[in-house]
C-alpha cells in the first residue's frame, strides 16, 4: 500500500503556514467565566487582556450572568491605574422598559435612580436581577477608544434580564467616563453578593 | 496508521479544498479619517456581498457645535436625497444632576423626508474633550424588493458649562426599492474636525 505526499497549494501539509483565509475583524480577546466571583476584571496587559489603542472599539458580551443574591444590580466601573482603583468620574443615562409575566404591568421610563452625575460609583447595567435558577442577565456593552488622551470615553449598553419578581426588564445605559486619562481596566460586579455564574466575553474591532 | 480523510475521502484523493472565504463574520471594508472634512462619503464596497453593513463612529469631533447626520443614494448619484421615514428618541442627564429624561424627538425624525437624517438629537459640542461615538446598521442595501432599514445608537456630550451625556437612538427606512450604493455623513454645519468612520460587512 502506498501513500502519495499530501499537498495543498504545492506545499506539503507540514509546511503550510497559511491557507489564505480572510481573518474576521471582530477579535475575541478574552473570555471569563464566573464561579461565585465577587467581581470580574479585564486589565490591559494582564492575563492576555488587551484594552488600549490596539482597537478603537471594544464590545463586552454578557451571557447568562447569574446572581447569588435576589434583587441585585449588575454594574461596572473603570480604572485609570491598571485596576488599583475602580473609581473613574462618569455622567450617565439609564432607562428601561419592563413587563411582568402576568401581562398586567408594562412601562417605558427614565431611571433616575440608576444614572450617575459626575460620580465615581459603579454604573448599573441592570437592576432587580433575580436569583432563581432560571434567571440571569444577557446583553452587551460597547466602549470606544479607552486609551485616548484627548476625549472623554463614551460607552453604551443594552441588557435584558429576568427580575426577582418575575418581570422582563430591557435596559439601556449610556454615558462617558469624564476623563482624558487613558482607561486601562474595567470591572463588573453585583451590588451585593457574587456573580454566581455566567460568561463575559471581550471583543476588539478594528480595520485593517 | 489511521487514514486522514477530508469530506469522507482519503486526503490523497481530494481534488479540491472547497472555497472557504472567511473565518470571521465581520469583514472590514473601509476606514476613513476626518481632517477638517465637510463630509465623509462611502461610495464603494456597498452591494449585495453582505446582508448587513455596520458603520462605527469613533471620536468624531465637530469644528463647531452641530448635529451629526447621514443620507444615502443610489447608483452613482451624489444628491443624497433619498426618501426616509424614521424615528428618534434619546435619554439625557446633566453633570449637575438636575435634568433627566427619555424623550421622543419630533424635530429629529422624518416622514417621507429627503433631508439628511439626524443621528444625534442635540448638538455635539466642540469642547476639546467632546466627541461622538456610535454605530449605524444598514440592512440589505442592495435589495430591489424591500425598503432599506437602518438602526443607529450614538453617544455624545452636549451643553455649555453644564454638560450633558446624551444617548441617541435612531431607526427608519429608506423608502425605495432601488439599491442603495453609497452613504454620506456630515455635521449639519461646520466640518468633521477629526475622528474615524469604519465600515464593516457582516455575513
Amino acid at each position: 500500500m502506498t501513500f502519495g505526499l499530501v499537498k495543498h497549494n504545492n506545499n506539503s501539509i507540514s509546511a503550510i503556514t497559511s491557507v489564505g483565509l480572510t481573518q474576521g475583524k471582530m477579535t475575541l480577546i478574552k473570555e471569563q467565566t464566573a464561579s461565585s466571583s465577587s467581581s470580574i476584571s479585564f486589565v490591559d496587559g494582564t492575563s492576555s487582556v488587551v484594552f488600549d489603542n490596539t482597537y478603537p472599539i471594544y464590545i463586552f458580551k454578557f451571557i447568562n450572568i447569574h446572581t447569588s443574591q435576589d434583587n441585585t444590580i449588575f454594574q461596572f466601573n473603570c480604572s485609570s491605574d491598571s485596576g488599583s482603583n475602580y473609581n473613574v468620574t462618569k455622567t450617565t443615562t439609564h432607562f428601561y422598559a419592563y413587563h411582568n409575566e402576568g401581562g398586567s404591568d408594562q412601562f417605558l421610563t427614565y431611571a433616575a435612580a440608576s444614572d450617575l452625575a459626575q460620580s465615581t460609583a459603579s454604573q448599573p447595567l441592570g437592576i432587580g436581577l433575580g436569583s432563581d435558577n432560571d434567571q440571569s442577565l444577557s446583553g452587551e456593552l460597547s466602549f470606544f477608544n479607552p486609551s485616548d488622551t484627548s476625549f472623554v470615553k463614551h460607552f453604551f449598553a443594552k441588557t435584558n434580564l429576568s427580575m426577582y419578581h418575575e418581570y422582563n426588564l430591557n435596559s439601556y445605559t449610556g454615558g462617558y467616563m469624564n476623563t482624558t486619562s487613558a482607561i486601562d481596566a474595567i470591572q463588573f460586579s453585583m451590588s451585593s453578593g457574587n456573580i454566581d455564574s455566567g460568561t463575559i466575553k471581550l471583543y476588539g474591532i478594528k480595520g485593517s | 496508521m489511521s487514514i486522514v480523510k477530508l469530506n469522507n475521502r482519503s486526503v490523497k484523493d481530494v481534488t479540491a479544498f472547497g472555497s472557504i472565504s472567511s473565518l470571521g463574520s465581520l469583514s472590514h471594508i473601509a476606514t476613513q479619517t476626518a481632517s477638517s472634512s465637510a463630509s465623509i462619503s462611502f461610495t464603494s464596497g456597498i452591494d449585495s456581498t453582505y446582508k448587513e453593513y455596520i458603520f462605527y463612529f469613533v471620536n468624531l469631533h465637530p469644528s463647531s457645535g452641530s448635529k451629526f447626520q447621514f443620507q444615502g443614494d443610489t447608483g452613482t448619484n451624489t444628491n443624497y436625497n433619498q426618501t426616509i421615514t424614521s424615528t428618534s428618541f434619546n435619554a439625557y442627564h446633566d453633570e449637575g444632576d438636575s435634568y433627566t429624561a427619555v424623550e421622543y424627538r419630533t424635530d429629529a425624525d422624518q416622514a417621507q423626508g429627503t433631508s439628511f437624517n439626524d443621528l444625534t438629537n442635540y448638538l455635539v459640542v466642540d469642547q476639546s474633550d467632546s466627541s461622538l461615538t456610535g454605530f449605524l446598521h444598514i440592512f440589505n442595501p442592495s435589495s430591489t424588493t424591500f425598503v432599506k432599514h437602518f438602526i443607529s445608537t450614538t453617544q455624545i456630550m452636549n451643553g455649555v458649562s453644564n454638560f450633558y451625556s446624551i444617548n441617541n437612538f435612531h431607526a427608519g427606512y429608506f423608502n425605495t426599492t432601488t439599491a442603495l450604493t453609497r452613504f454620506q455623513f456630515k455635521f449639519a454645519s461646520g466640518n468633521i474636525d477629526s475622528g474615524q468612520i469604519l465600515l464593516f460587512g457582516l455575513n
Side-chain angles (χ1 to χ4, degrees):
Chain A
M1 187 174 187
T2 57
F3 290 95
L5 181 61
V6 179
K7 288 190 172 185
H8 176 59
N9 289 341
N10 210 31
N11 285 310
S12 67
I13 282 186
S14 64
I16 291 174
T17 57
S18 170
V19 289
L21 301 180
T22 303
Q23 176 67 52
K25 296 304 178 186
M26 183 170 175
T27 303
L28 176 61
I29 297 169
K30 180 74 176 180
E31 176 176 339
Q32 297 198 56
T33 301
S35 178
S36 300
S37 309
S38 58
S39 64
I40 292 180
S41 302
F42 293 82
V43 181
D44 179 54
T46 302
S47 301
S48 305
V49 171
V50 176
F51 196 59
D52 57 15
N53 62 2
T54 303
Y55 301 91
I57 305 143
Y58 290 87
I59 297 179
F60 296 89
K61 300 273 187 180
F62 314 121
I63 301 164
N64 293 135
I65 302 298
H66 183 71
T67 178
S68 66
Q69 192 169 318
D70 221 20
N71 192 12
T72 50
I73 297 168
F74 182 61
Q75 59 191 11
F76 84 106
N77 212 328
C78 289
S79 170
S80 56
D81 56 9
S82 299
S84 296
N85 298 281
Y86 289 94
N87 58 357
V88 176
T89 299
K90 63 191 79 62
T91 295
T92 68
T93 59
H94 189 90
F95 69 95
Y96 49 65
Y98 61 75
H99 189 201
N100 68 335
E101 292 183 2
S104 59
D105 190 14
Q106 62 283 127
F107 203 53
L108 170 68
T109 184
Y110 189 88
S114 301
D115 67 9
L116 297 171
Q118 296 299 87
S119 170
T120 58
S122 292
Q123 172 60 45
L125 293 172
I127 68 167
L129 185 54
S131 63
D132 290 356
N133 287 339
D134 62 352
Q135 293 179 321
S136 68
L137 171 148
S138 295
E140 68 179 35
L141 164 68
S142 300
F143 204 106
F144 293 78
N145 231 2
S147 66
D148 182 87
T149 54
S150 297
F151 301 112
V152 302
K153 315 302 184 298
H154 290 289
F155 63 88
F156 48 80
K158 53 186 173 186
T159 63
N160 199 71
L161 63 88
S162 315
M163 297 187 78
Y164 68 98
H165 53 345
E166 279 63 63
Y167 277 60
N168 180 69
L169 186 73
N170 185 200
S171 304
Y172 294 83
T173 309
Y176 50 81
M177 299 291 160
N178 200 354
T179 178
T180 53
S181 298
I183 300 293
D184 55 14
I186 191 165
Q187 184 177 75
F188 301 93
S189 63
M190 295 293 176
S191 57
S192 60
N194 292 330
I195 307 175
D196 235 8
S197 61
T199 301
I200 302 179
K201 293 184 172 186
L202 170 59
Y203 294 88
I205 297 175
K206 67 176 180 178
S208 49
Chain B
M1 183 177 182
S2 59
I3 296 176
V4 179
K5 288 190 172 184
L6 180 66
N7 290 339
N8 208 31
R9 307 173 83 170
S10 66
V11 168
K12 74 180 182 62
D13 293 329
V14 170
T15 55
F17 268 38
S19 56
I20 302 170
S21 58
S22 174
L23 286 172
S25 59
L26 194 64
S27 299
H28 178 244
I29 297 171
T31 294
Q32 296 201 50
T33 301
S35 178
S36 300
S37 309
S39 64
I40 290 180
S41 301
F42 290 81
T43 59
S44 62
I46 300 167
D47 51 30
S48 61
T49 305
Y50 302 99
K51 294 294 186 188
E52 181 179 351
Y53 290 81
I54 307 174
F55 294 94
Y56 285 97
F57 314 123
V58 181
N59 292 135
L60 298 181
H61 182 71
S63 62
S64 59
S66 184
K67 287 183 175 182
F68 187 62
Q69 306 173 318
F70 90 113
Q71 248 288 11
D73 216 335
T74 60
T76 56
N77 295 317
T78 55
N79 295 320
Y80 295 105
N81 59 355
Q82 295 298 303
T83 300
I84 294 174
T85 294
S86 62
T87 59
S88 169
F89 65 95
N90 62 265
Y92 65 73
H93 186 201
D94 68 314
E95 293 183 0
D97 202 15
S98 299
Y99 306 101
T100 60
V102 57
E103 58 177 3
Y104 189 90
R105 294 291 301 192
T106 56
D107 60 347
D109 64 9
Q110 294 201 74
Q112 297 296 87
T114 57
S115 299
F116 273 68
N117 201 87
D118 289 340
L119 294 177
T120 65
N121 293 342
Y122 292 86
L123 310 182
V124 183
V125 294
D126 58 355
Q127 287 286 117
S128 60
D129 62 352
S130 166
S131 68
L132 170 149
T133 61
F135 55 69
L136 167 68
H137 295 250
I138 305 282
F139 298 91
N140 211 7
S142 68
S143 172
T144 54
T145 303
F146 300 108
V147 302
K148 317 303 185 298
H149 293 284
F150 64 88
I151 300 173
S152 172
T153 301
T154 60
Q155 169 66 36
I156 67 167
M157 175 191 282
N158 170 271
V160 178
S161 70
N162 180 26
F163 294 103
Y164 286 67
S165 172
I166 303 179
N167 195 192
N168 305 278
F169 300 84
H170 296 83
Y173 53 83
F174 291 87
N175 200 356
T176 179
T177 53
T178 303
L180 296 177
T181 57
R182 46 189 55 207
F183 294 91
Q184 185 175 83
F185 301 89
K186 66 178 185 177
F187 283 106
S189 61
N191 292 331
I192 308 172
D193 246 2
S194 60
Q196 284 191 323
I197 302 178
L198 293 80
L199 172 59
F200 293 87
L202 184 62
N203 280 320

